[in-house]
Amino acid sequence: MIESVIIMAARTEVYESNRTIVEEGTMKHRMYVVLKGEVILYSNYGTEDEYIVGMCKKGKSFGEFNLFTDEAYPFTAIAYGDTQVTWFEKSNLDSFLFGHPELAMNMMERISHSYDNMARNLHRAIDEINVLKQACYETSADENKDESVEKKTEE
């Protein structure tokens, strides 16, 4: 039911494999829903620091946060295989959501899950950084201890 309502209210586009759907840093206030195929989300796409931040399959969405902020897209979305997406712009989504509260609730649930996943990933990254910092500190302390021993044996 919701999927057919989404298709009626949004614009739909087909992207060939490896075609860019949205580029990191662009200012678009759109939410995308994958109808067919897959979309890979990259950070720093096309650079040596490129890495995959997510993958969206049929029925999944991306770009929800950009509907409610004035921030640029934080990733590049690339079609993986022939892909069909539908998208909403903020200007036509507001009135649509008021008429379809079940869709609004569904979107809030997805945004909440995305936020929770980001928070968990951030905590994991912080834990990993702290482990690395501790290892560096211990290595540095050991090297200083070795230098101290060498100086005493030379004297």
Side-chain angles (χ1 to χ4, degrees):
M1 159 80 175
I2 288 177
E3 291 167 347
S4 61
V5 172
I6 289 173
I7 292 170
M8 291 178 355
R11 296 182 185 184
T12 301
E13 291 188 47
V14 175
Y15 294 88
E16 294 175 357
S17 188
N18 296 318
R19 186 164 164 225
T20 300
I21 298 168
V22 64
E23 286 186 55
E24 182 175 354
T26 58
M27 294 293 290
K28 291 186 179 179
H29 299 288
R30 292 181 181 171
M31 178 187 86
Y32 296 84
V33 179
V34 180
L35 300 176
K36 177 186 167 198
E38 298 179 42
V39 175
I40 300 182
L41 308 175
Y42 292 91
S43 182
N44 300 312
Y45 183 71
T47 71
E48 61 185 45
D49 296 326
E50 166 185 303
Y51 61 95
I52 295 174
V53 295
M55 177 182 254
C56 298
K57 296 181 178 188
K58 180 181 177 183
K60 300 297 180 185
S61 61
F62 59 95
E64 295 94 344
F65 288 110
N66 293 84
L67 289 176
F68 306 105
T69 68
D70 286 327
E71 301 294 323
Y73 265 79
F75 50 76
T76 296
I78 303 292
Y80 183 71
D82 291 342
T83 301
Q84 182 180 14
V85 298
T86 188
W87 52 269
F88 290 94
E89 288 188 331
K90 180 171 175 43
S91 60
N92 64 357
L93 185 64
D94 292 345
S95 61
F96 179 75
L97 289 177
F98 283 114
H100 300 86
E102 72 280 5
L103 181 61
M105 291 300 294
N106 188 286
M107 183 186 298
M108 288 190 320
E109 185 178 301
R110 283 195 313 268
I111 290 172
S112 296
H113 285 296
S114 293
Y115 179 79
D116 184 56
N117 285 337
M118 284 189 291
R120 289 174 194 264
N121 288 338
L122 179 61
H123 288 294
R124 277 190 218 118
I126 290 170
D127 289 345
E128 288 176 18
I129 289 169
N130 286 334
V131 167
L132 291 172
K133 285 170 59 176
Q134 182 65 31
C136 288
Y137 174 76
E138 289 171 1
T139 300
S140 177
D142 287 345
E143 288 173 357
N144 288 340
K145 201 184 293 181
D146 289 344
E147 287 176 11
S148 225
V149 170
E150 285 177 17
K151 284 182 183 178
K152 285 183 181 179
T153 56
E154 288 176 2
E155 295 173 353

